[in-house]
């Protein structure tokens, strides 16, 4: 599981946990990572939906979610990214 404690790392620019064997869901608390430009959880057991709060990640340029259990549609607010 991705620790919600990472949400205090507000200067974090990239988080790559691909192929790491993590599971769980994407924490809505990560919406505080406003400098995050790349988030990659590809090839993991992360599941659920993308939190609508992630639309606050205005620096996000790359989002890797292939080969995960993430499902559903992108929240409408993602159109502003």
């Amino acid at each position: 599981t991705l620790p919600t404690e990472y949400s205090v790392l507000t200067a974090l620019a990239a988080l790559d946990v691909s192929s790491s064997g993590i599971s769980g869901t994407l924490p809505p608390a990560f919406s505080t990572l406003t400098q995050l430009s790349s988030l990659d959880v590809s090839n993991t057991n992360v599941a659920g939906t993308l939190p609508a709060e992630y639309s606050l990640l205005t620096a996000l340029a790359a989002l890797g979610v292939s080969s995960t259990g993430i499902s559903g549609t992108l929240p409408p607010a993602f159109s502003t990214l």
Side-chain angles (χ1 to χ4, degrees), residues 58-79:
T58 55
L60 194 64
L63 177 63
V65 294
S66 63
S67 299
T68 65
I70 293 176
S71 61
T73 58
L74 288 174
F78 271 60
S79 66

Side-chain angles (χ1 to χ4, degrees), residues 23-49:
S23 60
T25 59
L26 293 171
F30 279 14
S31 64
T32 61
L33 302 175
T34 56
Q35 301 302 309
L36 194 66
S37 62
S38 176
L39 174 61
D40 192 351
V41 296
S42 300
N43 302 307
T44 64
N45 292 318
V46 171
T49 59

Side-chain angles (χ1 to χ4, degrees), residues 18-29:
S18 60
S19 303
S20 65
I22 64 164
S23 60
T25 59
L26 293 171

